[in-house]
Amino acid sequence: MSKEMKIFNDPVHGTMMFPPKLVEVIDTPQFQRLRNIKQLGTVYHVYPGASHNRFEHSLGTAHLAGKFIRMLQSNQPELDITEDDVLCVEIAGLCHDLGEVLILQQNLKAAMYFSIFAGHGPFSHMFDQMFLSAVGGKNRKWKHEQGSRDMFDYILTTHNIKLSIDPDLDDKMVKMIKLMIKPPKENAPKEDQNLVKKKPFLYEVSINSALY
């Protein structure tokens, strides 16, 4: 095991080991705030044991995504899965629930509120599926996947996190991760569609829907 790997002990998955780039993201305040967002929303108010948060959920997703893609890498070498591909899949799993901070900027009180809860809003999916649809105004169609892409950009920029020392490769990896979090639609730019089509299986690890 590399000394650079950081160990997390999880009650479900046991020992989870993450490389430095994942730890850089985990250590940011924007990711740490996920500790305060309940994974199961209002269920916690009925079942006190349903108390796990988006933080440990995201760590577990990154861990399982990494195990899955490494198994493919080992068992199917013809897929040509690189270490950069593995890192992108792990980071996408880690960041798939990051969300956005200020989605109602026209309302100062709402903006202050979201600066506290952020991302997956209060009570998780109930927020974007029910609350915003009722009172969200122009943001009623907002989805946390788009928010996750926006927050990922914000984290990389604010904390100067680089995924590669090669600027071109860094840009490509960032684009890959964002497309893994929220895959392109049929009317997406050709550049995005072509990138996904090279290794489409990479983009179906951390999402719950088909690519197209």
Side-chain angles (χ1 to χ4, degrees):
M1 181 186 72
S2 170
K3 292 182 179 179
E4 295 182 339
M5 300 289 278
K6 187 165 185 177
I7 296 175
F8 291 78
N9 292 310
D10 185 82
V12 176
H13 304 295
T15 299
M16 302 186 297
M17 295 183 293
F18 294 130
K21 287 302 176 185
L22 269 74
V23 177
E24 283 189 61
V25 175
I26 292 170
D27 285 345
T28 64
Q30 291 76 25
F31 190 88
Q32 288 290 319
R33 83 188 199 287
L34 296 179
R35 292 178 183 270
N36 299 315
I37 301 177
K38 296 297 181 191
Q39 176 69 20
L40 299 179
T42 54
V43 174
Y44 174 63
H45 292 270
V46 180
Y47 301 99
S51 59
H52 65 298
N53 302 317
R54 290 281 166 187
F55 180 82
E56 52 264 38
H57 165 71
S58 297
L59 294 184
T61 304
H63 171 69
L64 291 179
K67 287 185 67 175
F68 178 79
I69 202 65
R70 286 194 181 280
M71 184 172 293
L72 286 182
Q73 184 187 46
S74 175
N75 294 340
Q76 295 184 253
E78 69 275 10
L79 294 177
D80 190 30
I81 299 173
T82 67
E83 286 301 308
D84 288 336
D85 292 336
V86 172
L87 181 61
C88 287
V89 169
E90 290 179 325
I91 293 178
L94 184 72
C95 297
H96 78 286
D97 271 347
L98 274 178
E100 174 61 90
V101 180
L102 304 179
I103 62 171
L104 296 177
Q105 296 185 34
Q106 72 272 21
N107 185 314
L108 180 59
K109 290 183 178 179
M112 293 173 64
Y113 189 70
F114 291 124
S115 71
I116 298 173
F117 290 101
H120 258 297
F123 308 119
S124 292
H125 285 290
M126 177 181 173
F127 177 78
D128 48 312
Q129 293 177 358
M130 299 181 68
F131 178 79
L132 281 183
S133 65
V135 301
K138 68 178 183 180
N139 295 294
R140 67 175 62 248
K141 293 184 179 180
W142 178 88
K143 298 296 182 183
H144 76 273
E145 290 87 355
Q146 180 58 49
S148 294
R149 290 177 56 161
D150 295 338
M151 182 60 81
F152 180 62
D153 271 337
Y154 180 82
I155 286 176
L156 295 183
T157 302
T158 303
H159 302 283
N160 195 30
I161 297 174
K162 300 295 182 183
L163 304 181
S164 172
I165 58 174
D166 181 339
D168 291 335
L169 181 56
D170 180 74
D171 289 343
K172 178 184 176 182
M173 292 175 70
V174 170
K175 180 178 284 290
M176 287 175 64
I177 291 167
K178 291 166 66 176
L179 290 172
M180 289 174 186
I181 293 173
K182 187 175 186 293
K185 301 295 185 183
E186 291 183 351
N187 60 349
K190 284 292 183 181
E191 180 184 358
D192 291 355
Q193 295 187 43
N194 291 337
L195 184 59
V196 170
K197 288 177 181 177
K198 289 180 180 179
K199 297 180 183 177
F201 54 89
L202 294 177
Y203 301 84
E204 298 195 69
V205 177
S206 297
I207 61 171
N208 297 317
S209 58
L211 287 176
Y212 299 109

